[in-house]
Amino acid sequence: MIPGGGQPNMQQLLQQAQKMQQDLARAQEELAQTEVDGQAGGGLVQATVTGAGELRALKIDPKAVDPEDTETLADLVIAAVQAANENAQNLQQQKLGPLAQGLGGGSGIPGLPF
């Protein structure tokens, strides 16, 4: 409702919606270019993902490689990737959260919990 019972200015609403779409697209592009890291095993395994969640790099210290125990290495890789993805989600919330609030609370972006 508009205070005083007036009709909303459709031109103004359209301009605001277009600006929010542009801001959202700009933030998504920035996320796709920003990299965050996660690590496991005290840094023996490090994963780098983009703010959009794309795995870009995986570094494994030779000390983490034991041919007799590949299960531990696999667990460390999973933990590092999960940590990096958690950091990417936090970055998404920082960048897109304020924009999503302007859209009524939901971002409309699959995979984003806000």
XYZ file of all heavy atoms in Angstrom:
818
model
N 0.835 -1.193 0.000
C 0.000 0.000 0.000
C 0.872 1.245 0.000
O 1.892 1.301 0.654
C -0.848 0.041 1.259
C -2.115 -0.745 1.217
S -3.352 0.106 0.297
C -4.711 -0.858 0.703
N 0.393 2.224 -0.641
C 1.067 3.514 -0.691
C 0.399 4.420 0.330
O -0.832 4.494 0.368
C 0.944 4.126 -2.108
C 1.495 3.151 -3.108
C 1.530 5.512 -2.166
C 2.712 3.541 -3.817
N 1.202 5.103 1.173
C 0.588 6.025 2.132
C -0.289 7.044 1.410
O 0.076 7.561 0.364
C 1.785 6.705 2.808
C 2.940 5.780 2.573
C 2.643 5.052 1.300
N -1.430 7.306 1.967
C -2.341 8.283 1.375
C -3.230 7.676 0.305
O -4.035 8.356 -0.291
N -3.091 6.380 0.017
C -3.970 5.701 -0.912
C -3.676 5.934 -2.372
O -4.455 5.550 -3.229
N -2.549 6.568 -2.725
C -2.223 6.831 -4.120
C -1.774 5.571 -4.836
O -1.480 4.551 -4.225
N -1.728 5.622 -6.139
C -1.279 4.501 -6.948
C 0.252 4.526 -7.058
O 0.850 5.593 -7.116
C -1.893 4.584 -8.352
C -3.397 4.418 -8.363
C -3.808 3.033 -7.892
O -3.197 2.044 -8.246
N -4.836 2.973 -7.063
N 0.873 3.356 -7.108
C 2.329 3.329 -7.256
C 2.735 3.847 -8.631
O 2.014 3.681 -9.609
C 2.672 1.851 -7.114
C 1.413 1.111 -7.403
C 0.289 2.038 -7.035
N 3.872 4.473 -8.682
C 4.422 4.971 -9.939
C 5.091 3.779 -10.638
O 6.165 3.331 -10.245
C 5.435 6.073 -9.653
C 6.027 6.659 -10.911
O 6.148 5.993 -11.942
N 6.411 7.922 -10.827
N 4.433 3.260 -11.664
C 4.919 2.056 -12.336
C 6.283 2.274 -12.985
O 7.120 1.381 -12.977
C 3.899 1.572 -13.375
C 2.588 1.133 -12.739
S 2.839 -0.077 -11.428
C 2.747 -1.548 -12.376
N 6.501 3.451 -13.522
C 7.801 3.767 -14.134
C 8.897 3.678 -13.085
O 9.954 3.102 -13.322
C 7.754 5.177 -14.755
C 9.046 5.628 -15.377
C 9.230 5.075 -16.777
O 8.308 4.558 -17.369
N 10.435 5.185 -17.284
N 8.643 4.249 -11.920
C 9.629 4.239 -10.841
C 9.864 2.810 -10.345
O 11.005 2.411 -10.113
C 9.156 5.127 -9.698
C 10.170 5.265 -8.577
C 9.673 6.189 -7.467
O 8.542 6.634 -7.474
N 10.530 6.455 -6.513
N 8.805 2.023 -10.205
C 8.945 0.637 -9.775
C 9.766 -0.162 -10.785
O 10.620 -0.975 -10.404
C 7.580 -0.008 -9.574
C 6.781 0.452 -8.359
C 5.399 -0.188 -8.367
C 7.522 0.130 -7.070
N 9.516 0.060 -12.054
C 10.261 -0.633 -13.100
C 11.740 -0.260 -13.053
O 12.610 -1.125 -13.149
C 9.675 -0.308 -14.472
C 10.340 -0.982 -15.670
C 10.289 -2.491 -15.538
C 9.692 -0.529 -16.955
N 12.036 1.011 -12.865
C 13.431 1.454 -12.781
C 14.127 0.829 -11.565
O 15.270 0.405 -11.650
C 13.502 2.973 -12.706
C 13.169 3.663 -14.009
C 13.108 5.187 -13.885
O 13.065 5.728 -12.786
N 13.088 5.860 -15.023
N 13.416 0.760 -10.429
C 13.999 0.154 -9.233
C 14.274 -1.330 -9.460
O 15.325 -1.843 -9.075
C 13.073 0.342 -8.033
C 13.029 1.757 -7.512
C 12.001 1.932 -6.397
O 11.118 1.105 -6.187
N 12.112 3.039 -5.677
N 13.340 -2.014 -10.104
C 13.522 -3.442 -10.375
C 14.699 -3.660 -11.326
O 15.498 -4.586 -11.132
C 12.248 -4.031 -10.971
N 14.832 -2.826 -12.345
C 15.943 -2.950 -13.284
C 17.278 -2.702 -12.593
O 18.256 -3.400 -12.844
C 15.761 -1.981 -14.457
C 14.665 -2.390 -15.412
C 14.396 -1.349 -16.483
O 14.670 -0.157 -16.308
N 13.833 -1.788 -17.603
N 17.319 -1.724 -11.698
C 18.552 -1.436 -10.960
C 18.926 -2.621 -10.074
O 20.082 -3.023 -9.996
C 18.423 -0.175 -10.124
C 19.731 0.168 -9.400
C 19.585 1.371 -8.506
C 20.848 1.739 -7.767
N 21.711 0.682 -7.340
N 17.926 -3.202 -9.410
C 18.201 -4.358 -8.549
C 18.704 -5.532 -9.382
O 19.627 -6.236 -8.964
C 16.955 -4.736 -7.752
C 16.692 -3.746 -6.637
S 15.244 -4.001 -5.562
C 14.590 -5.550 -5.949
N 18.143 -5.740 -10.574
C 18.619 -6.807 -11.446
C 20.064 -6.559 -11.870
O 20.875 -7.479 -11.898
C 17.734 -6.921 -12.694
C 16.404 -7.590 -12.439
C 15.574 -7.678 -13.703
O 15.595 -6.778 -14.538
N 14.836 -8.759 -13.840
N 20.385 -5.322 -12.191
C 21.757 -4.991 -12.585
C 22.715 -5.196 -11.417
O 23.813 -5.738 -11.592
C 21.831 -3.547 -13.081
C 21.143 -3.318 -14.395
C 21.017 -1.843 -14.751
O 21.238 -0.965 -13.927
N 20.640 -1.568 -15.995
N 22.310 -4.765 -10.224
C 23.149 -4.946 -9.038
C 23.371 -6.423 -8.752
O 24.478 -6.840 -8.410
C 22.519 -4.264 -7.816
C 22.524 -2.748 -7.907
O 23.239 -2.193 -8.778
O 21.805 -2.107 -7.105
N 22.316 -7.215 -8.891
C 22.414 -8.647 -8.652
C 23.338 -9.299 -9.670
O 24.209 -10.106 -9.313
C 21.024 -9.288 -8.694
C 20.960 -10.777 -8.400
C 21.528 -11.093 -7.022
C 19.525 -11.276 -8.500
N 23.202 -8.950 -10.931
C 24.065 -9.512 -11.978
C 25.523 -9.134 -11.743
O 26.425 -9.966 -11.898
C 23.605 -9.029 -13.353
N 25.754 -7.896 -11.328
C 27.116 -7.435 -11.041
C 27.701 -8.220 -9.854
O 28.852 -8.647 -9.896
C 27.100 -5.933 -10.751
C 28.432 -5.268 -10.759
C 28.406 -3.744 -10.686
N 27.163 -3.097 -10.284
C 26.284 -2.544 -11.121
N 26.487 -2.556 -12.409
N 25.191 -1.962 -10.655
N 26.911 -8.426 -8.813
C 27.375 -9.171 -7.644
C 27.653 -10.631 -7.999
O 28.649 -11.208 -7.543
C 26.345 -9.081 -6.519
N 26.814 -11.226 -8.843
C 27.041 -12.612 -9.257
C 28.321 -12.735 -10.072
O 29.074 -13.697 -9.909
C 25.843 -13.134 -10.055
C 24.625 -13.378 -9.200
C 23.405 -13.738 -10.025
O 23.167 -13.168 -11.089
N 22.636 -14.689 -9.534
N 28.581 -11.780 -10.940
C 29.803 -11.800 -11.731
C 31.027 -11.660 -10.825
O 32.037 -12.337 -11.009
C 29.789 -10.682 -12.781
C 31.042 -10.609 -13.621
C 31.313 -11.868 -14.431
O 30.359 -12.569 -14.814
O 32.501 -12.158 -14.667
N 30.919 -10.793 -9.842
C 32.017 -10.618 -8.891
C 32.268 -11.913 -8.122
O 33.412 -12.311 -7.915
C 31.689 -9.478 -7.927
C 32.831 -9.127 -6.995
C 32.506 -7.947 -6.094
O 31.781 -7.037 -6.539
O 32.978 -7.960 -4.952
N 31.193 -12.587 -7.724
C 31.334 -13.863 -7.024
C 32.023 -14.903 -7.905
O 32.855 -15.671 -7.428
C 29.967 -14.394 -6.591
C 29.347 -13.745 -5.368
C 27.909 -14.219 -5.193
C 30.160 -14.036 -4.125
N 31.678 -14.926 -9.176
C 32.262 -15.905 -10.083
C 33.760 -15.685 -10.258
O 34.492 -16.626 -10.572
C 31.557 -15.851 -11.437
N 34.232 -14.457 -10.043
C 35.646 -14.140 -10.214
C 36.439 -14.210 -8.906
O 37.664 -14.300 -8.933
C 35.805 -12.735 -10.818
C 35.147 -12.578 -12.173
C 35.682 -13.564 -13.192
O 36.871 -13.821 -13.265
N 34.776 -14.150 -13.968
N 35.749 -14.157 -7.770
C 36.415 -14.152 -6.472
C 36.700 -15.576 -6.029
O 35.855 -16.461 -6.152
C 35.531 -13.449 -5.418
O 35.226 -12.133 -5.882
C 36.223 -13.366 -4.079
N 37.907 -15.816 -5.522
C 38.280 -17.146 -5.061
C 38.424 -17.151 -3.542
O 38.912 -16.183 -2.949
C 39.595 -17.593 -5.703
C 39.472 -17.825 -7.192
C 40.748 -18.333 -7.842
O 41.819 -18.308 -7.188
O 40.681 -18.763 -9.003
N 37.974 -18.257 -2.936
C 38.124 -18.466 -1.498
C 38.740 -19.846 -1.300
O 38.632 -20.724 -2.159
C 36.775 -18.351 -0.737
C 36.248 -16.938 -0.780
C 35.745 -19.317 -1.271
N 39.401 -20.020 -0.160
C 40.100 -21.271 0.128
C 39.486 -21.988 1.312
O 38.840 -21.385 2.166
C 41.578 -20.991 0.451
C 42.330 -20.413 -0.735
O 42.179 -20.943 -1.843
O 43.073 -19.434 -0.542
N 39.729 -23.282 1.343
C 39.403 -24.112 2.487
C 40.529 -25.107 2.650
O 41.211 -25.448 1.676
N 40.733 -25.559 3.879
C 41.820 -26.502 4.094
C 41.426 -27.557 5.104
O 40.466 -27.396 5.852
C 43.084 -25.780 4.537
C 42.954 -25.044 5.857
C 44.271 -24.374 6.252
O 45.307 -24.592 5.636
N 44.227 -23.565 7.280
N 42.189 -28.641 5.104
C 41.971 -29.733 6.047
C 43.319 -30.343 6.392
O 44.301 -30.160 5.664
C 41.053 -30.787 5.435
N 43.344 -31.056 7.503
C 44.586 -31.712 7.911
C 45.688 -30.729 8.241
O 46.844 -30.978 7.943
N 45.307 -29.603 8.844
C 46.308 -28.602 9.192
C 46.976 -27.993 7.972
O 48.128 -27.576 8.035
N 46.263 -27.954 6.862
C 46.805 -27.353 5.642
C 47.427 -28.355 4.690
O 47.935 -27.956 3.639
N 47.362 -29.650 5.011
C 47.926 -30.655 4.108
C 47.157 -30.716 2.790
O 47.725 -31.024 1.749
C 47.927 -32.044 4.762
C 48.899 -32.238 5.923
C 48.703 -33.607 6.564
C 50.338 -32.069 5.454
N 45.865 -30.419 2.860
C 45.038 -30.380 1.657
C 44.342 -29.028 1.623
O 43.737 -28.608 2.608
C 44.004 -31.525 1.637
C 43.107 -31.423 0.411
C 44.696 -32.885 1.671
N 44.455 -28.345 0.481
C 43.823 -27.036 0.319
C 42.997 -27.038 -0.960
O 43.461 -27.527 -1.997
C 44.886 -25.934 0.234
C 45.700 -25.797 1.490
C 46.754 -24.698 1.389
O 46.948 -24.104 0.338
N 47.425 -24.432 2.486
N 41.797 -26.488 -0.851
C 40.916 -26.376 -2.007
C 40.620 -24.897 -2.235
O 40.457 -24.137 -1.289
C 39.621 -27.139 -1.767
N 40.534 -24.520 -3.499
C 40.173 -23.157 -3.877
C 38.922 -23.235 -4.744
O 38.888 -23.991 -5.717
C 41.312 -22.483 -4.669
O 42.492 -22.471 -3.861
C 40.951 -21.058 -5.047
N 37.895 -22.472 -4.346
C 36.654 -22.405 -5.129
C 36.326 -20.939 -5.379
O 36.808 -20.051 -4.678
C 35.464 -23.090 -4.407
C 35.732 -24.556 -4.167
C 35.112 -22.400 -3.114
N 35.501 -20.720 -6.388
C 35.022 -19.363 -6.626
C 33.891 -19.074 -5.651
O 33.341 -19.989 -5.028
C 34.490 -19.185 -8.060
O 33.325 -19.997 -8.215
C 35.539 -19.540 -9.097
N 33.543 -17.812 -5.552
C 32.412 -17.437 -4.713
C 31.117 -18.062 -5.191
O 30.153 -18.160 -4.442
N 31.083 -18.521 -6.442
C 29.919 -19.203 -6.996
C 29.972 -20.709 -6.746
O 29.067 -21.435 -7.119
C 29.811 -18.925 -8.488
N 31.069 -21.205 -6.130
C 31.177 -22.608 -5.770
C 31.893 -23.491 -6.769
O 31.916 -24.706 -6.615
N 32.538 -22.922 -7.778
C 33.272 -23.714 -8.764
C 34.655 -24.053 -8.225
O 35.430 -23.161 -7.861
C 33.405 -22.922 -10.065
C 34.207 -23.645 -11.124
C 34.494 -22.772 -12.347
O 33.879 -21.695 -12.476
O 35.346 -23.173 -13.143
N 34.991 -25.342 -8.183
C 36.306 -25.781 -7.722
C 37.345 -25.375 -8.752
O 37.259 -25.721 -9.924
C 36.324 -27.302 -7.528
C 37.624 -27.911 -7.016
C 37.974 -27.376 -5.623
C 37.522 -29.425 -6.993
N 38.339 -24.595 -8.320
C 39.373 -24.087 -9.236
C 40.727 -24.764 -9.030
O 41.484 -24.913 -9.966
C 39.551 -22.581 -9.039
C 38.407 -21.751 -9.575
C 38.637 -21.428 -11.052
N 37.530 -20.715 -11.646
C 37.448 -19.406 -11.768
N 38.411 -18.642 -11.323
N 36.400 -18.867 -12.339
N 41.036 -25.128 -7.776
C 42.353 -25.714 -7.518
C 42.281 -26.634 -6.308
O 41.456 -26.441 -5.414
C 43.382 -24.614 -7.263
N 43.154 -27.601 -6.320
C 43.274 -28.535 -5.210
C 44.757 -28.811 -5.015
O 45.434 -29.257 -5.949
C 42.521 -29.829 -5.522
C 42.444 -30.874 -4.433
C 41.684 -30.339 -3.218
C 41.767 -32.127 -4.949
N 45.277 -28.502 -3.835
C 46.696 -28.715 -3.541
C 46.797 -29.774 -2.447
O 46.133 -29.687 -1.418
C 47.346 -27.420 -3.049
C 47.364 -26.325 -4.093
C 47.965 -25.054 -3.519
C 47.817 -23.922 -4.516
N 48.205 -22.629 -3.954
N 47.655 -30.751 -2.702
C 47.857 -31.838 -1.745
C 49.341 -31.899 -1.402
O 50.181 -32.113 -2.287
C 47.383 -33.185 -2.317
C 45.893 -33.103 -2.676
C 47.653 -34.306 -1.325
C 45.357 -34.316 -3.405
N 49.641 -31.701 -0.127
C 51.020 -31.799 0.341
C 51.451 -33.268 0.229
O 50.692 -34.168 0.601
C 51.092 -31.334 1.805
C 52.509 -31.227 2.312
O 53.239 -32.249 2.278
O 52.884 -30.139 2.778
N 52.660 -33.541 -0.268
C 53.126 -34.929 -0.388
C 53.075 -35.701 0.932
O 52.923 -36.927 0.928
C 54.571 -34.783 -0.882
C 54.596 -33.474 -1.593
C 53.623 -32.590 -0.840
N 53.159 -35.003 2.059
C 53.078 -35.684 3.361
C 51.710 -36.325 3.573
O 51.580 -37.222 4.390
C 53.355 -34.694 4.498
C 54.764 -34.165 4.528
C 54.925 -33.217 5.692
C 55.585 -31.957 5.187
N 55.561 -30.878 6.135
N 50.697 -35.850 2.851
C 49.342 -36.382 3.018
C 49.123 -37.651 2.197
O 48.117 -38.330 2.365
C 48.312 -35.335 2.616
N 50.087 -37.983 1.324
C 49.912 -39.127 0.430
C 50.561 -40.363 1.028
O 51.780 -40.451 1.142
C 50.520 -38.823 -0.966
C 50.323 -40.001 -1.897
C 49.911 -37.562 -1.543
N 49.722 -41.306 1.412
C 50.175 -42.596 1.922
C 49.476 -43.666 1.093
O 48.264 -43.857 1.225
C 49.811 -42.749 3.397
C 50.233 -44.085 3.983
O 50.753 -44.946 3.243
O 50.020 -44.278 5.198
N 50.221 -44.359 0.229
C 49.586 -45.361 -0.638
C 48.815 -46.427 0.139
O 47.899 -47.042 -0.390
C 50.763 -45.994 -1.389
C 51.870 -45.006 -1.286
C 51.652 -44.257 -0.015
N 49.177 -46.622 1.387
C 48.496 -47.623 2.217
C 47.198 -47.083 2.810
O 46.404 -47.849 3.361
C 49.433 -48.071 3.356
C 50.748 -48.657 2.898
C 50.571 -49.992 2.189
O 49.745 -50.811 2.639
O 51.257 -50.202 1.168
N 46.991 -45.764 2.740
C 45.824 -45.160 3.393
C 45.217 -44.065 2.510
O 45.237 -42.891 2.855
C 46.229 -44.590 4.761
C 45.049 -44.074 5.550
O 43.894 -44.393 5.201
O 45.274 -43.326 6.519
N 44.673 -44.459 1.399
C 44.069 -43.480 0.500
C 42.735 -42.956 1.038
O 42.292 -41.881 0.637
C 43.854 -44.074 -0.904
O 43.047 -45.253 -0.797
C 45.187 -44.424 -1.548
N 42.113 -43.702 1.943
C 40.839 -43.244 2.518
C 41.018 -41.947 3.303
O 40.178 -41.044 3.222
C 40.231 -44.321 3.410
C 39.671 -45.494 2.637
C 39.068 -46.549 3.541
O 38.690 -46.231 4.687
O 38.985 -47.698 3.091
N 42.102 -41.840 4.052
C 42.350 -40.619 4.814
C 42.559 -39.441 3.865
O 42.034 -38.350 4.097
C 43.565 -40.783 5.743
O 43.278 -41.826 6.688
C 43.874 -39.502 6.494
N 43.301 -39.660 2.802
C 43.509 -38.592 1.830
C 42.180 -38.162 1.215
O 41.908 -36.962 1.086
C 44.483 -39.036 0.736
C 44.731 -38.024 -0.376
C 45.260 -36.705 0.169
C 45.698 -38.606 -1.411
N 41.353 -39.114 0.869
C 40.039 -38.789 0.300
C 39.215 -37.982 1.302
O 38.556 -37.004 0.929
C 39.304 -40.062 -0.101
N 39.252 -38.366 2.574
C 38.525 -37.621 3.608
C 39.043 -36.191 3.722
O 38.265 -35.252 3.892
C 38.632 -38.324 4.968
C 37.840 -39.622 5.039
O 36.941 -39.838 4.190
O 38.128 -40.431 5.950
N 40.359 -36.022 3.646
C 40.945 -34.680 3.723
C 40.537 -33.836 2.517
O 40.248 -32.640 2.662
C 42.470 -34.767 3.812
C 43.044 -35.310 5.120
C 44.559 -35.489 5.008
C 42.698 -34.408 6.286
N 40.489 -34.435 1.339
C 40.077 -33.702 0.140
C 38.628 -33.255 0.284
O 38.288 -32.090 0.035
C 40.266 -34.561 -1.136
C 39.588 -33.925 -2.334
C 41.750 -34.773 -1.410
N 37.767 -34.159 0.721
C 36.354 -33.817 0.907
C 36.210 -32.700 1.933
O 35.471 -31.737 1.720
C 35.549 -35.067 1.310
C 35.449 -36.019 0.125
C 34.157 -34.680 1.826
C 34.919 -37.403 0.485
N 36.925 -32.798 3.040
C 36.837 -31.779 4.089
C 37.322 -30.417 3.589
O 36.724 -29.382 3.902
C 37.635 -32.212 5.320
N 38.401 -30.403 2.813
C 38.922 -29.134 2.289
C 37.935 -28.502 1.309
O 37.696 -27.291 1.349
C 40.280 -29.351 1.616
N 37.347 -29.311 0.446
C 36.374 -28.783 -0.521
C 35.132 -28.274 0.203
O 34.596 -27.215 -0.117
C 36.027 -29.838 -1.591
C 34.871 -29.383 -2.471
C 37.252 -30.148 -2.452
N 34.688 -29.011 1.216
C 33.534 -28.563 1.989
C 33.826 -27.245 2.701
O 32.972 -26.351 2.731
C 33.113 -29.626 3.007
C 32.415 -30.816 2.376
C 32.108 -31.922 3.370
O 32.778 -32.071 4.387
N 31.108 -32.720 3.051
N 35.015 -27.109 3.252
C 35.384 -25.864 3.934
C 35.419 -24.701 2.938
O 34.946 -23.600 3.239
C 36.748 -26.016 4.627
N 35.963 -24.948 1.753
C 36.009 -23.894 0.737
C 34.595 -23.517 0.294
O 34.281 -22.333 0.131
C 36.842 -24.351 -0.465
N 33.726 -24.508 0.118
C 32.343 -24.222 -0.276
C 31.593 -23.463 0.813
O 30.779 -22.587 0.515
C 31.605 -25.502 -0.648
C 31.920 -25.959 -2.054
O 32.173 -25.148 -2.934
N 31.918 -27.256 -2.274
N 31.873 -23.769 2.058
C 31.256 -23.024 3.162
C 31.707 -21.564 3.116
O 30.895 -20.653 3.292
C 31.628 -23.652 4.502
C 30.933 -23.003 5.677
C 31.240 -23.724 6.984
O 31.087 -24.951 7.038
O 31.634 -23.038 7.946
N 32.981 -21.348 2.847
C 33.483 -19.977 2.716
C 32.833 -19.272 1.523
O 32.535 -18.077 1.586
C 35.007 -19.968 2.587
C 35.692 -20.366 3.883
O 35.130 -20.251 4.956
N 36.910 -20.863 3.773
N 32.605 -20.010 0.446
C 31.944 -19.428 -0.726
C 30.499 -19.048 -0.390
O 30.018 -17.989 -0.802
C 31.972 -20.406 -1.895
N 29.809 -19.886 0.382
C 28.432 -19.572 0.778
C 28.387 -18.336 1.663
O 27.491 -17.497 1.533
C 27.789 -20.759 1.482
C 27.439 -21.880 0.528
C 26.839 -23.080 1.233
O 26.918 -23.219 2.449
N 26.229 -23.964 0.456
N 29.350 -18.222 2.560
C 29.419 -17.025 3.403
C 29.630 -15.778 2.548
O 29.017 -14.734 2.791
C 30.530 -17.154 4.443
C 30.225 -18.173 5.506
O 29.063 -18.508 5.760
N 31.258 -18.704 6.137
N 30.491 -15.894 1.549
C 30.738 -14.773 0.648
C 29.467 -14.432 -0.136
O 29.138 -13.261 -0.318
C 31.885 -15.106 -0.305
C 32.307 -14.006 -1.275
C 32.814 -12.774 -0.519
C 33.381 -14.534 -2.222
N 28.738 -15.454 -0.581
C 27.477 -15.229 -1.290
C 26.494 -14.466 -0.417
O 25.834 -13.530 -0.876
C 26.846 -16.556 -1.713
C 27.564 -17.254 -2.828
C 27.028 -18.654 -3.076
O 26.146 -19.135 -2.379
N 27.563 -19.315 -4.098
N 26.406 -14.851 0.835
C 25.481 -14.174 1.750
C 25.887 -12.715 1.948
O 25.027 -11.838 2.012
C 25.402 -14.905 3.085
C 24.643 -16.203 2.980
C 24.581 -16.960 4.286
O 25.378 -16.729 5.186
N 23.646 -17.875 4.384
N 27.197 -12.469 2.036
C 27.663 -11.093 2.198
C 27.343 -10.249 0.965
O 26.926 -9.101 1.084
C 29.178 -11.069 2.441
C 29.610 -11.587 3.776
C 31.127 -11.682 3.864
O 31.848 -11.476 2.897
N 31.624 -12.012 5.052
N 27.560 -10.818 -0.216
C 27.399 -10.059 -1.460
C 25.943 -9.975 -1.915
O 25.503 -8.948 -2.401
C 28.226 -10.682 -2.587
C 29.707 -10.650 -2.349
C 30.250 -9.273 -2.584
C 31.764 -9.274 -2.455
N 32.321 -7.953 -2.499
N 25.222 -11.084 -1.791
C 23.877 -11.144 -2.355
C 22.774 -10.962 -1.318
O 21.646 -10.640 -1.686
C 23.669 -12.475 -3.083
C 24.614 -12.759 -4.244
C 24.316 -14.119 -4.847
C 24.539 -11.678 -5.304
N 23.083 -11.157 -0.049
C 22.073 -11.043 0.992
C 21.345 -9.716 0.981
O 20.111 -9.688 0.962
N 22.061 -8.599 0.974
C 21.375 -7.305 0.939
C 20.515 -7.123 -0.317
O 19.447 -6.536 -0.250
C 22.517 -6.287 0.960
C 23.663 -7.012 1.578
C 23.498 -8.450 1.145
N 20.977 -7.656 -1.433
C 20.193 -7.553 -2.665
C 18.935 -8.414 -2.582
O 17.871 -8.025 -3.040
C 21.030 -7.973 -3.870
C 22.220 -7.069 -4.186
C 23.074 -7.674 -5.284
C 21.751 -5.687 -4.569
N 19.076 -9.601 -1.973
C 17.925 -10.491 -1.848
C 16.864 -9.891 -0.939
O 15.676 -10.047 -1.175
C 18.377 -11.852 -1.306
N 17.284 -9.168 0.084
C 16.322 -8.522 0.967
C 15.501 -7.495 0.199
O 14.317 -7.338 0.435
C 17.033 -7.866 2.145
C 17.597 -8.878 3.117
C 18.441 -8.236 4.202
O 18.683 -7.038 4.201
N 18.903 -9.054 5.128
N 16.134 -6.836 -0.748
C 15.419 -5.864 -1.561
C 14.434 -6.514 -2.507
O 13.522 -5.883 -3.011
N 14.609 -7.835 -2.729
C 13.703 -8.568 -3.607
C 12.619 -9.286 -2.816
O 11.943 -10.149 -3.332
C 14.490 -9.600 -4.436
C 15.494 -9.031 -5.423
C 16.332 -10.153 -6.011
C 14.781 -8.273 -6.521
N 12.496 -8.973 -1.543
C 11.454 -9.599 -0.740
C 11.938 -10.779 0.065
O 11.155 -11.574 0.529
N 13.260 -10.945 0.214
C 13.782 -11.960 1.103
C 14.374 -13.167 0.418
O 15.220 -13.823 0.954
N 13.936 -13.519 -0.755
C 14.491 -14.674 -1.441
C 15.306 -14.221 -2.629
O 14.895 -13.336 -3.365
N 16.461 -14.837 -2.830
C 17.320 -14.410 -3.927
C 16.838 -14.954 -5.262
O 17.165 -14.408 -6.305
C 18.758 -14.862 -3.683
O 18.841 -16.266 -3.769
N 16.099 -16.063 -5.235
C 15.693 -16.686 -6.479
C 16.830 -17.409 -7.159
O 16.716 -17.855 -8.294
N 17.951 -17.563 -6.461
C 19.121 -18.209 -7.022
C 19.203 -19.613 -6.428
O 19.305 -19.757 -5.211
C 20.406 -17.429 -6.705
C 20.283 -16.019 -7.269
C 21.622 -18.147 -7.256
C 21.351 -15.083 -6.787
N 19.150 -20.656 -7.269
C 19.225 -22.015 -6.744
C 20.495 -22.218 -5.939
O 21.564 -21.755 -6.307
C 19.249 -22.882 -8.015
C 18.678 -22.012 -9.085
C 19.034 -20.609 -8.708
N 20.350 -22.869 -4.803
C 21.508 -23.174 -3.967
C 21.803 -22.138 -2.912
O 22.606 -22.372 -2.015
N 21.176 -20.986 -2.985
C 21.401 -19.957 -1.973
C 20.312 -20.068 -0.922
O 19.127 -20.057 -1.248
C 21.410 -18.552 -2.574
C 22.567 -18.235 -3.513
C 22.492 -16.786 -3.972
C 23.899 -18.504 -2.869
N 20.707 -20.174 0.344
C 19.725 -20.426 1.400
C 19.004 -19.167 1.902
O 18.353 -19.219 2.926
C 20.589 -21.013 2.522
C 21.926 -20.388 2.315
C 22.072 -20.219 0.817
N 19.078 -18.065 1.220
C 18.424 -16.848 1.726
C 17.564 -16.195 0.696
O 17.658 -16.347 -0.456
C 19.463 -15.859 2.268
C 20.589 -15.589 1.323
C 20.503 -14.548 0.407
C 21.714 -16.377 1.294
C 21.527 -14.308 -0.461
C 22.729 -16.125 0.408
C 22.627 -15.088 -0.460
